[in-house]
Amino acid sequence: MATTTLTTLTLRTPACPTPSSYPATRPFLQFPSRSAARRGRLVAPAVAAPEKITKLGDEIAGLTLEEAKSLVDFLQDKLGVSAAAFAPVAAVAAPGGAAVEAPAAVEEKTEFDVVIEEVPSNARIAVIKAVRGLTSLALKEAKELIEGLPKKFKEGVSKEEADDAKKQLEEAGAKIAIV
């Protein structure tokens, strides 16, 4: 009966030093803990503030959520304001600090899209003729346009042009929408 001996070879090359061969003075990267980074404690202040404000800000940053809610409620009662009252003002404020007035009326839409939603099979030829009459498309392109609907027929046109195209295409038998 023959016996086999298994030998383990360990290869080390000088090009790949082992961690134990690193110099002891080599600096290691240390990353801040995620919880501290989320709280913003490791971020340097972007604006220089007086010591009183910095101290107050640090105390507020150290509050728990329940304590912060109590602080908000206290300040709302003390000052007679609500936090919701300041939200629209902050959204409208200009970068220079001046408030921007909201437009008095909603602007009327001036550009429209004409969408061909459906073409019945018995009206295909009439719709292709109408499409060719309204555009400079060749027969093949006009035919491809009315397949795989809904598709935009015209984009960014005036109200009058959109109504005219809708009228002609509906007379030909297509179902049209103006968007």
Side-chain angles (χ1 to χ4, degrees):
M1 199 175 216
T3 59
T4 307
T5 307
L6 184 61
T7 329
T8 305
L9 297 175
T10 305
L11 299 175
R12 296 202 185 260
T13 61
C16 294
T18 60
S20 61
S21 67
Y22 290 148
T25 59
R26 186 173 186 157
F28 288 98
L29 293 176
Q30 292 183 345
F31 296 101
S33 70
R34 289 185 180 185
S35 61
R38 257 188 253 125
R39 286 186 172 161
R41 292 183 181 175
L42 300 177
V43 178
V47 179
E51 183 180 336
K52 179 179 177 183
I53 301 299
T54 305
K55 182 180 175 187
L56 182 61
D58 289 340
E59 288 179 19
I60 291 172
L63 295 176
T64 64
L65 289 176
E66 186 176 331
E67 293 170 337
K69 183 179 179 339
S70 298
L71 175 64
V72 169
D73 293 339
F74 170 76
L75 289 175
Q76 286 177 351
D77 291 341
K78 178 85 173 175
L79 301 174
V81 296
S82 69
F86 292 106
V89 174
V92 175
V100 177
E101 292 184 23
V106 177
E107 293 184 24
E108 188 175 326
K109 190 174 179 181
T110 58
E111 293 185 346
F112 298 89
D113 296 338
V114 180
V115 179
I116 301 175
E117 293 184 342
E118 185 181 346
V119 176
S121 60
N122 62 349
R124 286 181 53 136
I125 295 173
V127 172
I128 290 172
K129 286 181 181 179
V131 166
R132 291 191 66 202
L134 292 167
T135 63
S136 60
L137 293 177
L139 178 62
K140 182 180 178 184
E141 286 82 17
K143 197 173 174 183
E144 289 173 354
L145 180 71
I146 65 164
E147 294 173 355
L149 299 175
K151 284 188 183 172
K152 286 187 180 178
F153 170 64
K154 288 194 171 194
E155 295 181 8
V157 295
S158 67
K159 179 71 173 170
E160 294 81 26
E161 189 176 347
D163 286 336
D164 182 48
K166 179 179 180 179
K167 179 183 172 193
Q168 289 184 25
L169 290 168
E170 284 182 340
E171 286 175 358
K175 183 178 176 186
I176 305 298
I178 297 179
V179 183

